[in-house]
Every structure is written in C-alpha cells, then in structure tokens.
C-alpha cells in the first residue's frame, strides 16, 4: 500500500528484462504511489515519477508525492 521506490532500475532484479529500462527511454528511477478510489478503496493505478538518472528521494519529497496521490484520488 505504500510507495514503490526503485532508485536504480538497471541494478534492480525486478526490472531485469524491462524494455523501458534497457531500451528507450532508459528509465533509471521510478517512484509510484498507489491510487485507490471509490467506497471500497479499489486499486485504480499509480501516480508515478520517473527519471533517466538514478535518484534518492528525501522523506519530504515522498510526503509531497503521497499528498499529490491522495489529491488525485479525490478527482
């Protein structure tokens, strides 16, 4: 239910065969916050941030991304 943070997708075994990592656009960083909607809080997707360079988000940046995801759930 929390964020999925991948600081360097090229070294993460979960992304070993992903063409978005090893081909174009060469995604290196991914952080996704789950979006849940409706009365049952059903999964609807993610609000994500990606970059072509490995990154490490601060605790404040994660809190801000979480706040944006909660706002998106209200739309």
């Amino acid at each position: 239910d929390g964020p999925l943070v991948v600081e360097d997708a090229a070294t993460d075994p979960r992304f070993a065969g992903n063409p978005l990592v090893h081909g174009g656009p060469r995604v290196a960083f991914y952080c996704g916050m789950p979006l849940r909607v409706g009365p049952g809080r059903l999964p609807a997707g993610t609000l994500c941030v990606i970059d072509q360079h490995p990154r490490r988000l601060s605790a404040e940046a994660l809190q801000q991304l979480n706040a944006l995801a909660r706002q998106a759930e209200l739309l």
Side-chain angles (χ1 to χ4, degrees):
D1 280 335
L4 171 61
V5 180
V6 179
E7 294 178 353
D8 188 354
T11 62
D12 191 308
R14 296 172 292 182
F15 292 83
N18 191 311
L20 296 176
V21 173
H22 302 289
R26 295 210 180 272
V27 172
F29 171 80
Y30 174 90
C31 180
M33 291 285 184
L35 298 175
R36 298 185 176 275
V37 297
R41 306 273 302 143
L42 299 173
T46 60
L47 176 70
C48 69
V49 176
I50 62 173
D51 197 347
Q52 293 178 321
H53 304 283
R55 300 238 176 252
R56 180 170 291 153
L57 291 183
S58 67
E60 180 182 356
L62 280 171
Q63 289 174 340
Q64 290 172 346
L65 189 58
N66 184 52
L68 284 172
R70 303 300 68 88
Q71 288 294 315
E73 289 175 335
L74 300 174
L75 297 176

